Amino acid sequence: MLTDPELDELHQAFPQPLSIDAALRAEIGRAGRLAELPAGSFVFHDGDPCEQVGFILDGALRVFKTGSSGREITLYHVVGGDLCMLNVSCVLSHHLYPAA
């Protein structure tokens, strides 16, 4: 559960989705949680289930695939104030996360 100041911080970073629907804001406040991850941490691994959408407040994420040669191929970066489109797509479609 998010505190009111945490929900206000999220609303400042993502004003559109949280201003559109009061019920959505209330549900995010009820079910949401803040997590601070150390640099180099994985949010998802290739094939992980996606059950929650990550709202990135600060920092940056690199979304990548590992090629057959074992080399990492960067697909894109996600920075504070953005959403990972693969994450959102997987949550909505109930598919496994196709990258790392």
Side-chain angles (χ1 to χ4, degrees):
M1 176 177 254
L2 296 176
T3 65
D4 286 336
E6 291 170 338
L7 193 54
D8 289 342
E9 180 182 1
L10 185 64
H11 184 243
Q12 285 182 346
F14 297 91
Q16 293 298 40
L18 296 179
S19 296
I20 292 171
D21 188 344
L24 174 62
R25 180 181 165 101
E27 179 62 19
I28 290 172
R30 185 193 66 71
R33 65 181 179 87
L34 286 182
E36 187 171 329
L37 303 174
S41 295
F42 280 81
V43 177
F44 293 106
H45 291 280
D46 196 345
D48 281 351
C50 290
E51 297 174 354
Q52 296 177 330
V53 173
F55 290 82
I56 311 306
L57 294 176
D58 190 32
L61 300 174
R62 180 174 70 105
V63 179
F64 67 92
K65 290 283 286 182
T66 302
S68 58
S69 67
R71 293 180 56 183
E72 294 177 353
I73 303 161
T74 299
L75 302 176
Y76 58 93
H77 291 88
V78 183
V79 297
D82 287 342
L83 296 171
C84 173
M85 295 317 301
L86 278 178
N87 175 220
V88 173
S89 174
C90 291
V91 168
L92 294 175
S93 67
H94 305 289
H95 285 102
L96 300 177
Y97 196 75

